[in-house]
Amino acid sequence: MLIAPLLLRINDLPAHALLVHLTVVLVPAVALGAIAYLVPAWRSWLRWPLLVGAAIGFVSIWASYLSGENFKESVSFFQGNEQIEKHEEYADVFRIVGSVFTLALVVVTGWLHQRSPRVRLGAAGVVALLAVVTLVYTVLTGEAGAKAVYPPESFSDAAATPAQ
């Protein structure tokens, strides 16, 4: 897979390891904000931060996904790694769910913001449900990736060693 050089390395580090941090912080923050958008009194205040956050979140989801694909293909340790496969399966769902969520949030905060209260509440409710699913897949994807790189058994020495 040919990917833009920006997605391969940043400051000579694998871009994926850096980009996922943006995704796992920003996307859940935006998802929680989208749930808060259900409160009518908060909608005007949340509108622009959510609109900008959703746009950046969409880009970060895809940048993380594409850089992860490249990272997996370029490191032999990841080939045939069961935990990486699990992480990749979750990432496949997360990129779709997260993309639908962020795009729906852009529509709701951008276009539906001035519609009737009933339409706004219904649309915000759908986005809030997508936000919950996105939160779940953010956690599942991130946890599977972390366990692939830092298996729990690798910390057994640290737990057995007394603190000094």
Side-chain angles (χ1 to χ4, degrees):
M1 174 185 292
L2 182 61
I3 299 177
L6 175 64
L7 295 177
L8 302 178
R9 295 192 162 282
I10 297 174
N11 211 19
D12 209 32
L13 294 171
H16 184 68
L18 301 170
L19 291 168
V20 296
H21 287 86
L22 174 62
T23 304
V24 301
V25 170
L26 180 63
V27 173
V30 170
L32 293 172
I35 294 168
Y37 193 78
L38 284 169
V39 178
W42 296 353
R43 285 192 190 127
S44 290
W45 183 78
L46 287 170
R47 180 182 185 198
W48 286 106
L50 287 178
L51 189 61
V52 170
I56 296 169
F58 180 84
V59 171
S60 77
I61 288 168
W62 280 90
S64 294
Y65 176 78
L66 293 172
S67 65
E69 284 289 306
N70 180 267
F71 191 33
K72 179 187 175 206
E73 291 173 10
S74 65
V75 177
S76 62
F77 168 77
F78 296 145
Q79 307 309 315
N81 182 317
E82 194 173 297
Q83 193 64 42
I84 289 292
E85 297 298 327
K86 184 177 180 182
H87 172 61
E88 187 176 30
E89 288 172 17
Y90 284 135
D92 285 339
V93 176
F94 172 68
R95 82 181 148 107
I96 301 303
V97 169
S99 295
V100 170
F101 160 67
T102 55
L103 293 174
L105 185 57
V106 166
V107 169
V108 168
T109 57
W111 182 65
L112 292 178
H113 184 74
Q114 301 297 332
R115 303 294 179 241
S116 72
R118 200 176 211 176
V119 170
R120 282 191 318 229
L121 182 62
V126 169
V127 169
L129 287 174
L130 288 169
V132 170
V133 175
T134 299
L135 284 167
V136 168
Y137 272 94
T138 302
V139 171
L140 292 173
T141 305
E143 181 181 31
K147 284 183 176 178
V149 178
Y150 303 106
E153 61 274 4
S154 68
F155 296 107
S156 61
D157 291 343
T161 304
Q164 302 204 3

